[in-house]
Amino acid sequence: MSDPIVLGIETSCDETAVGIVRGRTLLANTIASSVQEHARFGGVVPEIASRAHLEAMGPTLAQALKDAKISLSDVDAIAVTAGPGLVGALLVGIGSGAGLALGLNKPIFAVNHLAAHVSVDSLTHSNPLDPTIALLVSGGHSSLLQVDEITGSITKLGATMDDAAGEAFDKIARLMKLGFPGGPAIDALATSGGAEAIDFPRGLTTSHDWQIRPFDFSFSGLKTAVARYIEATPNYARADVAASFQEAVVDVLLLKSLTACKRSGINSLIIAGGVAANSRLRAVAEQRCDKAGINLRIPAPALCTDNGAMVAALGALMLSAGRSPSPIAFDGLSGLPVEVVSLL
Ligand code: KG4
Ligand code: ZN
């Protein structure tokens, strides 16, 4: 018998995404984004995102089935993001997923968005990822996790105390009038700047911090430092600011991730989420993990940002681990803790 086909739906933020997998094989990863509708506000507007999901869900689902060359009746299970995310946005995906599961009479897995980001790795590596340390960095979250078993045992080691890493990129890009989302623009500008040109602060890295909150992040001090520098320096070197800001973020993310590996004795690290697409983060992670003997996995950039394939991948892992499906009726949970991999 061939592996089961799982259809995954992701609508936690501004991407309406449907992914389809057969076991660990990716069949389709279709995404409609409302990012341009939010650009003039400098961040995602929840009401606009929800409406955009409603409009995009039908066409995105149809396109995904077409890309995968299957019909709905071939689907063996549905997986959908239940949280964390914007409630109004989540509800569109949940309503669609529950409707499909009911209509097709197939099981549904209501899964955690953060666990899904990590499990996308199963589509590119056949050997198991877990146990691993996971660094999740995107516009909505920055957390460091210990993943002992991807379908059921995840522990939060730390998270950001203020802005998410991607949010910091977006806010600095806004200050520099680089547009939204800011990460890719800063990444590109930084290639011609000096990473060491300006000594920006590394948040929560004093010896006291290492004792009481070793794995938490803070980017607000860095943001203020960059804003002050720009204010105080007419005709500042834009590429240097981008590169030095980026370096401060990358440095602190990796410092904490590698320390988590060392302290837990787990010599494997996965980096996921939109910021994992950052070229400097990818390059420095490779250098430092090489040196420390840590096995590093970073998904391809298109699988790092929010997508449906990661949700489908987690659904397929749940099925093969024999995990129970979710009830057909469940809520969208904006603050779903990462320890809850799926709703039961
Ligand atoms: O995972 P994602 O698509 O959505 C959320 O769940 O938030 O992440 C989006 C975030 C944005 O803040 C964006 O600026 C950031 O990821 N991002 C990047 C890069 N590409 C996307 N940040 C730094 N460098 C990049 N190349
Ligand atoms: Zn995400």
Side-chain angles (χ1 to χ4, degrees):
M1 214 181 82
S2 69
D3 286 327
I5 293 183
V6 181
L7 184 144
I9 300 175
E10 157 62 39
T11 61
S12 68
C13 193
D14 57 341
E15 271 90 25
T16 313
V18 176
I20 301 174
V21 302
R22 179 186 283 116
R24 287 166 170 262
T25 307
L26 180 63
L27 300 183
N29 190 19
T30 310
I31 300 177
S33 176
S34 62
V35 67
Q36 286 316 320
E37 293 177 53
H38 307 283
R40 69 192 170 99
F41 303 102
V44 175
V45 182
E47 185 59 25
I48 295 178
S50 308
R51 283 165 190 265
H53 286 311
L54 276 175
E55 283 169 19
M57 181 52 73
T60 308
L61 174 62
Q63 186 61 46
L65 292 166
K66 200 170 159 194
D67 291 349
K69 300 186 179 64
I70 63 162
S71 66
L72 263 184
S73 58
D74 297 321
V75 172
D76 296 299
I78 306 289
V80 60
T81 300
L86 305 168
V87 170
L90 288 166
L91 286 176
V92 178
I94 291 172
S96 311
L100 286 172
L102 209 57
L104 297 169
N105 195 24
K106 297 291 178 188
I108 184 165
F109 291 92
V111 301
N112 191 304
H113 178 85
L114 306 179
H117 265 302
V118 177
S119 49
V120 78
D121 178 75
S122 65
L123 301 176
T124 24
H125 292 99
S126 56
N127 53 329
L129 160 92
D130 40 25
T132 189
I133 296 297
L135 172 68
L136 269 190
V137 272
S138 73
H141 25 251
S142 293
S143 30
L144 204 49
L145 312 172
Q146 179 169 330
V147 181
D148 289 302
E149 213 276 283
I150 183 68
T151 64
S153 178
I154 301 183
T155 313
K156 183 164 101 179
L157 302 176
T160 182
M161 304 187 69
D162 37 63
D163 291 342
E167 206 177 346
F169 271 93
D170 294 338
K171 287 181 176 170
I172 296 302
R174 196 174 179 184
L175 276 180
M176 297 177 72
K177 301 193 172 50
L178 285 168
F180 174 82
I186 290 190
D187 194 346
L189 182 59
T191 55
S192 51
E196 314 292 337
I198 309 153
D199 187 17
F200 286 131
R202 272 65 170 159
L204 298 186
T205 54
T206 65
S207 55
H208 183 62
D209 294 321
W210 280 113
Q211 273 169 21
I212 61 164
R213 50 173 78 86
F215 303 128
D216 286 329
F217 302 104
S218 167
F219 298 105
S220 66
L222 170 61
K223 198 176 62 192
T224 308
V226 176
R228 289 219 178 107
Y229 181 87
I230 289 177
E231 256 173 46
T233 321
N235 303 321
Y236 65 91
R238 293 168 63 77
D240 283 348
V241 170
S244 299
F245 157 76
Q246 177 175 270
E247 198 69 7
V249 176
V250 166
D251 188 30
V252 81
L253 290 176
L254 293 176
L255 208 54
K256 297 202 171 211
S257 301
L258 269 76
T259 305
C261 289
K262 203 168 160 196
R263 289 199 190 168
S264 63
I266 294 175
N267 72 341
S268 166
L269 173 67
I270 176 164
I271 307 181
V275 180
N278 183 268
S279 62
R280 182 72 184 154
L281 178 62
R282 297 173 85 94
V284 180
E286 215 162 283
Q287 286 164 13
R288 293 196 194 172
C289 286
D290 246 16
K291 207 167 155 206
I294 291 166
N295 169 21
L296 173 70
R297 297 182 182 193
I298 311 181
L303 295 176
C304 283
T305 46
D306 287 352
N307 64 83
M310 67 188 199
V311 179
L314 180 53
L317 291 175
M318 302 291 281
L319 263 184
S320 71
R323 298 272 174 192
S324 301
S326 303
I328 194 77
F330 52 88
D331 277 334
L333 300 167
S334 62
L336 183 65
V338 68
E339 287 82 4
V340 182
V341 180
S342 76
L343 302 185
L344 289 174

